[in-house]
Amino acid sequence: MIASPLSTTVHAAGAAFDRLAPVYDDKFTETLIGRAQRNSVWKVLLETFRPGDSILELNCGTGEDALFLAQHGISVLSCDASQEMITHAEQRLKAQPVPLSVVFCHLPTERINEFAPARRFDGVFSNFSGLNCIEDLAPVAASLAPLVKDGDRLLLCFSTRVCLTEIFYYLALGQKKKALRRLSGHTQATIDGVSLDVYYPSLKQILRSFSPHFRLSSTTGIGVAVPPSYLEPWARNHPTAFRLLCRLESFLARVPLLRTTGDHVLLCFEKVSQ
Ligand SMILES: C[S@@+](CC[C@H](N)C(=O)[O-])C[C@H]1O[C@@H](n2cnc3c(N)ncnc32)[C@H](O)[C@@H]1O
């Protein structure tokens, strides 16, 4: 299916996430906030794809969404730049009580054009900011276009450029630099001593990158009322307030303007005929 074997060149984001892989599920997937934000994504995911569909998943991490999709009758080919994430995902797949239609593949999104699938996918999915690790999204959009049919959908979840909760939270702590860190569109994060470039494209920039091949069909806020995951200790200490925010989330997630000022935004694109 892939034209050439994966090059031995180290992928910077992949190497950084290799460090996070062993603790990623504890630090995010299994947290109250991680679960709440993912549940919001899953709701849209099941509205977008149907049993019998075959989906390409980008930056799959430890495979949480791939397993969920497969449990709902959707076949998944899931890729990630981190070998450790893929190894972890494969172990989770093997531990499933029933066989699931998932294949995990160590492949960075920048090399997705090397896919030569026997038939086209019914859609593409990317969750929780894997695409924020890529500076130029236009080549990614161009590589995805031939992999799906006209009218098929891409469901892509980005970290936003403006996260109001983050701005207010860090300003309240007097940490102006952290409060405004996303606004420049680029930061350098460090995972366990390994640095990683993270990009925060504006909605306009994302649309421009995808527009030659795809048109935006819906926008859902993720983490608009529910806070970013670093507020997990607060969520655990304030269960009633957190439950209230979870209830507010489904309403705020659809409010124009507000829906793009949460922690993440989930964009649904439709392939246009060319
Ligand atoms: C925050 S994690 C999200 C993982 C998963 N999608 C989830 O929902 O839990 C970001 C993932 O993107 C992957 N990633 C980052 N840059 C990538 C790239 N250029 N190509 C493929 N995967 C990438 C990382 O290895 C990591 O697994």
Side-chain angles (χ1 to χ4, degrees), residues 24 45 91 107 112-113 125 128 132 139 211 219 227 268:
Y24 181 77
L45 199 52
Q91 281 163 358
L107 188 75
I112 224 72
N113 61 335
F125 175 53
F128 291 137
N132 288 82
S211 65
T219 304
C268 186

Side-chain angles (χ1 to χ4, degrees), residues 11 13 17 24 38 59 61 65 80-82 108-110 127-128 133:
H11 187 276
F17 276 98
Y24 181 77
R38 198 181 296 276
N59 47 262
D65 297 321
D80 199 283
S82 157
T109 302
E110 294 89 333
N127 205 2
F128 291 137
C133 300

Side-chain angles (χ1 to χ4, degrees), residues 170-209:
Y170 281 120
L171 282 182
L173 294 180
Q175 299 184 32
K176 193 171 163 209
K177 200 172 163 204
K178 271 193 172 172
L180 305 180
R181 73 190 171 104
R182 300 189 192 197
L183 299 184
S184 73
H186 173 233
T187 61
Q188 206 149 46
T190 308
I191 301 179
D192 202 10
V194 181
S195 76
L196 164 73
D197 286 302
V198 183
Y199 303 93
Y200 296 97
S202 65
L203 187 58
K204 210 167 155 189
Q205 287 170 330
I206 298 172
L207 297 192
R208 200 180 310 129
S209 297

Side-chain angles (χ1 to χ4, degrees), residues 11-219:
H11 187 276
F17 276 98
D18 276 349
R19 305 292 189 102
L20 195 59
V23 294
Y24 181 77
D25 286 340
D26 289 340
K27 290 205 161 179
F28 182 67
T29 312
E30 299 303 345
T31 61
L32 293 177
I33 290 176
R35 277 275 155 240
Q37 290 205 14
R38 198 181 296 276
N39 284 342
S40 302
V41 174
W42 279 357
K43 192 167 169 282
V44 182
L45 199 52
L46 292 184
E47 288 165 3
T48 307
F49 301 120
R50 283 174 303 202
D53 280 351
S54 158
I55 298 301
L56 171 65
E57 185 190 10
L58 308 175
N59 47 262
C60 64
T62 56
E64 181 73 2
D65 297 321
L67 299 179
F68 173 79
L69 284 164
Q71 280 155 0
H72 286 81
I74 296 163
S75 311
V76 202
L77 174 62
S78 295
C79 306
D80 199 283
S82 157
Q83 177 61 65
E84 291 303 319
M85 287 284 191
I86 291 295
T87 301
H88 195 77
E90 281 171 339
Q91 281 163 358
R92 295 184 67 198
L93 178 61
K94 274 196 202 117
Q96 295 301 303
V98 288
L100 294 173
S101 184
V102 182
V103 174
F104 289 109
C105 179
H106 178 213
L107 188 75
T109 302
E110 294 89 333
R111 293 189 55 192
I112 224 72
N113 61 335
E114 295 177 22
F115 267 132
R119 73 176 195 89
R120 285 188 277 186
F121 296 96
D122 299 306
V124 176
F125 175 53
S126 163
N127 205 2
F128 291 137
S129 319
L131 290 175
N132 288 82
C133 300
I134 296 180
E135 184 173 10
D136 186 4
L137 290 169
V140 175
S143 303
L144 294 177
L147 298 180
V148 294
K149 304 171 293 300
D150 293 349
D152 282 348
R153 286 176 286 183
L154 316 183
L155 200 55
L156 311 177
C157 180
F158 289 88
S159 285
T160 57
R161 180 173 281 199
V162 178
C163 173
L164 291 181
T165 312
E166 179 165 294
I167 292 173
F168 291 134
Y169 173 67
Y170 281 120
L171 282 182
L173 294 180
Q175 299 184 32
K176 193 171 163 209
K177 200 172 163 204
K178 271 193 172 172
L180 305 180
R181 73 190 171 104
R182 300 189 192 197
L183 299 184
S184 73
H186 173 233
T187 61
Q188 206 149 46
T190 308
I191 301 179
D192 202 10
V194 181
S195 76
L196 164 73
D197 286 302
V198 183
Y199 303 93
Y200 296 97
S202 65
L203 187 58
K204 210 167 155 189
Q205 287 170 330
I206 298 172
L207 297 192
R208 200 180 310 129
S209 297
F210 282 85
S211 65
H213 318 278
F214 301 95
R215 73 167 184 87
L216 185 68
S217 59
S218 77
T219 304

